[in-house]
Amino acid sequence: PVLVLFTKVTPKNVEASLFALLTGVFNFSNNISCKMIGGILCKLIGVDSDHLDKYYILICIQICCVIISAAFIFLIPKNEELNEI
């Protein structure tokens, strides 16, 4: 779904360059940033493989992040808006 979103948002004149940039940033965030932030949160909250008693806090943070990102879904352009451009 993310790659389909990238293709819909990318303008027609700079397709290859912008698509490569978007997918590169997406891969970077999934492969590197995600693990770094997860490690930092686990250290701050005190969750590791031996101490899972505060694991519910990590789940609450994840749910809050999903809700916050869903609040910005209106920023994705609709087909009519893309056709106007």
Side-chain angles (χ1 to χ4, degrees):
V2 175
L3 294 177
V4 173
L5 176 65
F6 289 163
T7 57
K8 291 200 178 273
V9 175
T10 305
K12 293 193 184 286
N13 295 338
V14 288
E15 290 171 347
S17 300
L18 190 59
F19 186 76
L21 176 71
L22 287 172
T23 53
V25 169
F26 180 72
N27 287 334
F28 175 77
S29 69
N30 276 342
N31 294 330
I32 296 173
S33 302
C34 210
K35 290 171 181 54
M36 286 177 23
I37 291 172
I40 291 170
L41 280 175
C42 286
K43 293 280 186 197
L44 288 175
I45 295 173
V47 175
D48 59 7
S49 61
D50 297 329
H51 303 96
L52 295 174
D53 53 341
K54 295 182 183 177
Y55 186 70
Y56 70 93
I57 296 173
L58 295 176
I59 298 298
C60 291
I61 291 172
Q62 181 182 9
I63 291 170
C64 290
C65 289
V66 168
I67 291 171
I68 290 170
S69 64
F72 292 103
I73 198 131
F74 70 92
L75 294 173
I76 299 173
K78 297 181 174 93
N79 283 337
E80 297 84 26
E81 295 171 350
L82 290 174
N83 290 335
E84 289 176 9
I85 295 174

